[in-house]
Amino acid sequence: MEDSILLEKFQEKIDKGLKIEPKDWMPEAYRKQLIRMMSQHAHSEIVGMLPEGNWITRAPSLRRKAVLLAKVQDEAGHGLYLYSAAETLGIDRTELLDQLFTGKAKYSSIFNYPSLTWADIGAIGWLVDGAAIMNQTMLARGSYGPYSRAMVRICKEESFHNRQGYEIMLTLSNGSPAQKAMAQDALNRWWWPAIMMLGPSDAASPNTEQLMRWKVKLETNDEIRQRFIDRTIPQADFLGLTVPDNDMKFNETTGHYEHGTINWKEFFDVVAGNGPCNKKRLKARVDADKNGAWVRAAAHAYANKKAAAKAA
């Protein structure tokens, strides 16, 4: 009886548009769903540094190198914000990372694709960050306070990343025929993974209905995907590039673009660990954790020594 009353008050608070804070009562299912979402989001920010970090030493100019380095540093910061937000729910960061390393926790499918050319850095900023912003601006209005507040700053920084990527694609599209061809090739390879990274269609997404009732999510996957496509197709037209979807067309009645069939088998194969770079990405993160163990140990030893000296 007590739990039903608490649940009723919990839902009433959400329905009023108020934030749920760490010390507030919440259903265990709400807590678990938030940990799942925030940990997946945090892991995605950290793993997402890898395909772009691959090009820091090969950027075509000092300016491009400095901007890309700043972007990769931003992504690291985003991961730390989100790990901290998840910890407000009573889970330790070490446990979150163990879940990633053992494959229990997932990260965004998009980061299991390789960055083969400099144009891929443009495509990632334009398409991947562009799709992420569509999702993240919605999460910034969500019901859990620490998560929504973290998203406010992350969205501001992601908007710069998105502009950086589009500016790279614009430069390449207005360059030599070889450069424009490189931009088109990058678009061809990243378009469908970007479409799929927004999650399975609503009918195949078991959590969407409950998450929307709790206002953790305010839009369905398909709604977010439609907004992304409607914004991105005119941008591709401006670049003089063509998305790799022969069935893409504008519906004058609805005012929306209609896309072709999405290869969800590929999406679920990648999520299951069978993408082009799954093993490589996970190994890189496990190796980084092992190689950095001595730094963490030294930091803890220093902190303990300082605390002991203060107590003496």
Side-chain angles (χ1 to χ4, degrees):
M1 178 67 70
E2 182 180 358
D3 279 357
S4 64
I5 294 173
L6 290 171
L7 185 60
E8 185 178 334
K9 290 182 177 178
F10 171 81
Q11 188 63 52
E12 183 180 318
K13 186 173 183 179
I14 288 175
D15 292 341
K16 288 180 178 178
L18 302 175
K19 298 295 183 187
I20 304 299
E21 299 297 342
K23 292 185 178 180
D24 293 343
W25 184 90
M26 64 186 72
E28 184 61 17
Y30 178 83
R31 175 182 170 274
K32 287 182 177 179
Q33 285 285 9
L34 279 169
I35 290 175
R36 178 188 65 82
M37 287 182 64
M38 283 193 281
S39 68
Q40 179 176 315
H41 195 165
H43 299 328
S44 298
E45 297 285 355
I46 299 300
V47 176
M49 298 162 62
L50 297 172
E52 294 180 303
N54 181 43
W55 280 90
I56 289 175
T57 58
R58 296 182 286 166
S61 69
L62 182 59
R63 172 179 173 268
R64 294 293 192 196
K65 186 188 299 288
V67 173
L68 181 57
L69 183 60
K71 181 186 178 184
V72 172
Q73 289 175 322
D74 283 349
E75 307 295 5
H78 297 171
L80 296 179
Y81 302 155
L82 294 164
Y83 284 133
S84 296
E87 286 180 315
T88 65
L89 292 165
I91 189 168
D92 186 79
R93 191 171 311 193
T94 302
E95 183 178 351
L96 294 173
L97 291 172
D98 285 342
Q99 290 174 355
L100 171 65
F101 299 154
T102 58
K104 182 179 179 181
K106 304 297 183 182
Y107 55 88
S108 180
S109 60
I110 194 77
F111 299 120
N112 290 308
Y113 291 86
S115 52
L116 304 179
T117 71
W118 173 251
D120 287 32
I121 302 304
I124 290 171
W126 173 36
L127 300 175
V128 178
D129 292 330
I133 289 170
M134 294 292 173
N135 189 47
Q136 291 168 356
T137 51
M138 175 265 296
L139 293 173
R141 307 192 310 274
S143 63
Y144 188 59
Y147 194 16
S148 66
R149 288 190 289 271
M151 293 313 307
V152 171
R153 177 167 180 174
I154 289 174
C155 287
K156 289 179 180 178
E157 293 178 349
E158 290 289 5
S159 67
F160 282 100
H161 302 169
N162 180 235
R163 293 179 186 183
Q164 174 229 5
Y166 191 73
E167 195 259 345
I168 290 174
M169 296 297 278
L170 181 62
T171 300
L172 292 172
S173 296
N174 287 300
S176 67
Q179 288 174 320
K180 185 169 184 178
M182 186 167 64
Q184 181 64 61
D185 173 66
L187 173 56
N188 291 345
R189 287 183 288 104
W190 287 94
W191 175 255
W192 287 111
I195 293 294
M196 290 186 283
M197 71 173 278
L198 291 168
S201 293
D202 302 330
S205 181
N207 299 309
T208 294
E209 184 178 352
Q210 182 63 72
L211 290 173
M212 292 188 69
R213 185 178 302 118
W214 284 332
K215 295 188 178 179
V216 175
K217 292 183 66 171
L218 302 179
E219 296 175 280
T220 68
N221 296 343
D222 287 337
E223 287 171 339
I224 298 169
R225 189 172 7 259
Q226 188 64 62
R227 281 201 297 120
F228 169 69
I229 291 172
D230 287 344
R231 190 193 77 159
T232 307
I233 294 300
Q235 293 175 341
D237 291 342
F238 183 80
L239 294 174
L241 302 177
T242 305
V243 299
D245 182 355
N246 293 331
D247 295 323
M248 182 69 69
K249 60 183 179 181
F250 184 73
N251 186 322
E252 294 186 0
T253 301
T254 64
H256 297 295
Y257 286 91
E258 296 177 355
H259 60 79
T261 303
I262 299 173
N263 184 0
W264 288 117
K265 181 181 183 304
E266 176 184 336
F267 172 79
F268 287 112
D269 281 346
V270 173
V271 170
N274 301 314
C277 297
N278 289 67
K279 293 181 176 61
K280 181 180 179 181
R281 298 287 186 247
L282 195 54
K283 182 179 184 303
R285 293 311 313 152
V286 171
D287 288 348
D289 185 71
K290 290 180 179 177
N291 293 336
W294 70 271
V295 179
R296 296 191 297 276
H300 287 159
Y302 176 76
N304 292 337
K305 183 177 179 180
K306 193 171 182 180
K310 186 177 181 180

